[in-house]
Amino acid sequence: MGGIPDSGSETQTAPATGCADLAEDFGFSLMAVAHAYRTAVSPVLAGVARGARGFQTLAAVVDGDGPNQIALAGYLRIDRTVMTYLLDDLVAAGLVERRLDPADRRRRRIVATRQGIETLRDLRRQVRAAEDELLSGIDQDEREVLRAQLARLARAVAGGEPGGPPCDIGADSANSEESADLSDSCDVTVSPGRGPG
């Protein structure tokens, strides 16, 4: 996959015949980069349960401190039912486990296995290589600035820092009947066919 064209490149300033050049449009640029990113990393994540969603969920578990399913679903903005199936697949692959929370036996924490930790380490290396190829049109310093600015923006629009308070969603209301019911329903392990990845 080719890198981002140089600022003086005709490719960047010459859109398809009859189309306006929308490279300066923030939304268009975000969508274009997101599409290119998915194209670049999809082959790397093809063997992971649910692809990019599975990869991000595994990362949140490995880097977290035993989050519960409700917290993961809220943090990753994944429907709770879909999260149940996604975790079923990660459990079946031997990458994570559901363990009873010693502080509240009505809930389960999601914990990475040794295989999950090693798998994530390998996947991150491959994803980083795909990202570097995608960003090959800008120099290393610019890449680091871009990564830092995107992380800052993501935290700002998410209303918190990844791995911080948002991943504790549901923890403070664990004593409510609704929270207990949701925890129980999220822990049901059923494995229908794969849904959207």
Side-chain angles (χ1 to χ4, degrees):
M1 163 171 277
I4 298 171
D6 294 335
S7 57
S9 169
E10 281 189 13
T11 305
Q12 183 182 24
T13 57
T17 304
C19 294
D21 180 2
L22 299 179
E24 299 298 322
D25 181 278
F26 180 71
F28 177 84
S29 295
L30 281 179
M31 289 187 294
V33 172
H35 176 76
Y37 180 83
R38 283 192 301 271
T39 301
V41 302
S42 288
V44 173
L45 302 178
V48 181
R50 311 268 174 161
R53 280 185 172 179
F55 170 70
Q56 291 167 350
T57 302
L58 180 60
V61 172
V62 170
D63 295 340
D65 187 22
N68 62 48
Q69 291 188 197
I70 295 173
L72 281 171
Y75 176 61
L76 296 171
R77 291 163 178 79
I78 296 175
D79 179 86
R80 289 173 177 168
T81 302
V82 173
M83 177 58 73
T84 299
Y85 303 148
L86 191 158
L87 287 173
D88 287 344
D89 289 347
L90 294 178
V91 168
L95 303 178
V96 303
E97 297 176 346
R98 291 179 173 96
R99 295 184 186 168
L100 287 176
D101 184 346
D104 183 349
R105 296 181 63 80
R106 297 172 300 174
R107 297 175 13 164
R108 296 187 187 185
R109 295 287 177 178
I110 311 304
V111 179
T113 63
R114 180 177 299 278
Q115 179 184 348
I117 294 168
E118 292 172 355
T119 297
L120 180 65
R121 184 182 306 123
D122 184 51
L123 287 172
R124 279 183 164 158
R125 180 185 54 76
Q126 294 179 62
V127 166
R128 184 63 180 240
E131 291 171 351
D132 284 343
E133 175 65 21
L134 174 66
L135 299 174
S136 62
I138 59 178
D139 68 34
Q140 188 62 39
D141 289 343
E142 289 175 314
R143 293 180 204 182
E144 295 311 314
V145 169
L146 176 62
R147 288 178 187 278
Q149 293 294 336
L150 280 175
R152 182 178 171 194
L153 177 60
R155 289 180 178 119
V157 299
E161 199 164 311
C167 215
D168 290 332
I169 293 170
D172 293 336
S173 57
N175 294 327
S176 72
E177 285 183 27
E178 179 183 4
S179 178
D181 291 342
L182 287 172
S183 295
D184 290 342
S185 67
C186 282
D187 285 331
V188 174
T189 52
V190 290
S191 293
R194 290 182 184 276

